[in-house]
Amino acid sequence: MNLQWSIRVWTRSALPNTRSTGCFSTSTRTQYRPLDVLENATLNTFQQRCFVPEHPAILPRGSFQDLPALKKWFKPANGKPTRNPIASLNADYLHKHGAEAFVPLELTQCPSPDPTTETKSETNQLHSFRQFHAPLSLFLDWMRAAETTPQSSRLYLAQCQLLDLPAVLREDFPVPELVAHAGKGDVYDTNVWIGHPPTYTPLHRDPNPNLFVQLAGEKVVRLLAPADGQAVFGAVRREVGKSGGREAAAFRGEEMMQGAERVLLDEMVWESPVSAGSDAGVGFEARLGVGDGLFIPKGWWHSIKGVGEGVTGSVNWWFR
């Protein structure tokens, strides 16, 4: 099932509207260290260590293994349940209960001939990108085809609001205790994310605390504190001749996903190594497997990549 879309590709040396400022040298890039894993997931520990001081952390590994969607929406591709199995989408279940739901999709046309492999050349090229809404059945058909046949484009169910889905599917995502009781109990929004790796969400920040849970496959998240992320964002925006102030970061659109800004943000965030030293730098990296949860405080900048094989799926709750 090939979804054709026009594509324009530039190499890094020919990016439009850029000027050399020297701000992208290796010495000025942020260094990252592994993010801490909480020793327990009690409400008191979460409030004192994470929610109140606004500090990110990984919840104890596998804390969300019992989330109904984890077992209903996905299944082991090889039929053998393990700690972090290669997953496939349970398309029959989703088609039965939500085929006609209108959902948000991201279509990315890739310059690489193999859309399942993320390469250095792919990172340094621009992708064509389009956001649109369509019936969930379209996405399910594409996912079925992608399991057996390499696709020239990628389709990603991105930031699909739970309220857009039928009640029977919404019931697969009960609100976690930490979301319901850590703050005021106000759930701002709940969103689902599903695709075949590599998936990508560029550097951005959220206006509310975020509990991010991995349902299938693996994802890697890089995080920067508010001031550090603003500095990276501002440097990239100035490099492409745009405003890098806080007002520019408040409203983000398709420029995050294509063009020079995407390429430069990817370089700034992802081309630095991870060090285990406690003084490695101001950035953090979190690697999430099935059932793992990550708390991202309000205002913390983060970028997310889906990696590995099979299907990657996530859900997040924005809350206060």
Side-chain angles (χ1 to χ4, degrees):
M1 181 179 181
N2 290 321
L3 297 172
Q4 298 299 324
W5 193 253
S6 61
I7 181 169
R8 183 181 181 189
V9 178
W10 291 284
T11 63
R12 172 66 183 89
S13 60
L15 289 171
N17 300 322
T18 62
R19 57 182 184 273
S20 177
T21 64
C23 63
F24 294 100
S25 67
T26 302
S27 62
T28 59
R29 286 200 182 101
T30 300
Q31 300 296 302
Y32 293 85
R33 62 178 182 267
L35 186 61
D36 292 338
V37 179
L38 286 184
E39 65 273 13
N40 65 68
T42 65
L43 181 60
N44 184 60
T45 297
F46 177 72
Q47 288 174 320
Q48 292 187 5
R49 295 277 302 278
C50 302
F51 191 77
V52 174
E54 297 187 333
H55 189 77
I58 300 171
L59 280 297
R61 297 292 184 182
S63 291
F64 300 92
Q65 287 279 2
D66 294 331
L67 200 64
L70 193 149
K71 296 178 175 63
K72 291 184 177 181
W73 288 46
F74 306 93
K75 54 188 178 182
N78 56 9
K80 299 178 181 179
T82 62
R83 164 69 180 88
N84 203 44
I86 297 175
S88 63
L89 191 65
N90 190 350
D92 292 340
Y93 173 76
L94 295 174
H95 192 278
K96 176 181 178 180
H97 297 293
E100 301 306 315
F102 218 53
V103 298
L105 299 172
E106 293 181 354
L107 172 63
T108 304
Q109 180 74 45
C110 313
S112 170
D114 181 2
T116 65
T117 303
E118 187 170 42
T119 64
K120 181 71 173 179
S121 62
E122 178 188 2
T123 302
N124 286 337
Q125 290 177 322
L126 301 187
H127 306 60
S128 69
F129 176 80
R130 180 191 177 196
Q131 294 174 315
F132 64 99
H133 283 73
L136 180 60
S137 58
L138 172 69
F139 175 70
L140 298 177
D141 289 343
W142 185 89
M143 291 292 285
R144 287 191 182 102
E147 286 185 354
T148 57
T149 306
Q151 302 293 303
S152 61
S153 56
R154 295 197 200 108
L155 208 56
Y156 189 36
L157 181 71
Q159 201 168 326
C160 175
Q161 291 183 300
L162 215 57
L163 291 176
D164 290 338
L165 300 177
V168 65
L169 297 181
R170 296 199 301 269
E171 291 171 359
D172 295 333
F173 298 92
V175 177
E177 179 187 5
L178 298 180
V179 171
H181 301 295
K184 299 177 180 179
D186 179 11
V187 180
Y188 175 71
D189 204 1
T190 307
N191 297 274
V192 179
W193 315 72
I194 301 174
H196 277 288
T199 62
Y200 177 71
T201 302
L203 188 70
H204 68 287
R205 64 181 184 183
D206 300 326
N208 292 288
N210 181 357
L211 179 64
F212 185 91
V213 173
Q214 191 66 9
L215 303 170
E218 299 176 85
K219 281 187 176 175
V220 183
V221 185
R222 286 198 164 183
L223 304 102
L224 293 166
D228 300 316
Q230 182 66 44
V232 170
F233 171 76
V236 167
R237 293 279 291 188
R238 288 188 292 273
E239 181 79 359
V240 297
K242 298 179 181 179
S243 169
R246 294 183 180 276
E247 70 286 348
F251 299 98
R252 310 290 285 119
E254 291 189 8
E255 71 274 8
M256 291 196 305
M257 295 299 298
Q258 60 186 342
E261 187 173 323
R262 173 199 159 112
V263 174
L264 296 178
L265 277 175
D266 189 88
E267 288 182 6
M268 287 287 281
V269 175
W270 290 98
E271 291 194 5
S272 296
V274 176
S275 171
S278 59
D279 296 322
V282 294
F284 296 97
E285 180 175 286
R287 302 189 72 90
L288 305 176
V290 176
D292 291 344
L294 167 67
F295 174 65
I296 305 173
K298 175 183 67 177
W300 274 68
W301 294 75
H302 51 286
S303 180
I304 305 173
K305 287 190 175 184
V307 298
E309 301 179 69
V311 171
T312 180
S314 313
V315 60
N316 80 284
W317 287 267
W318 283 310
F319 65 104
R320 291 173 282 206

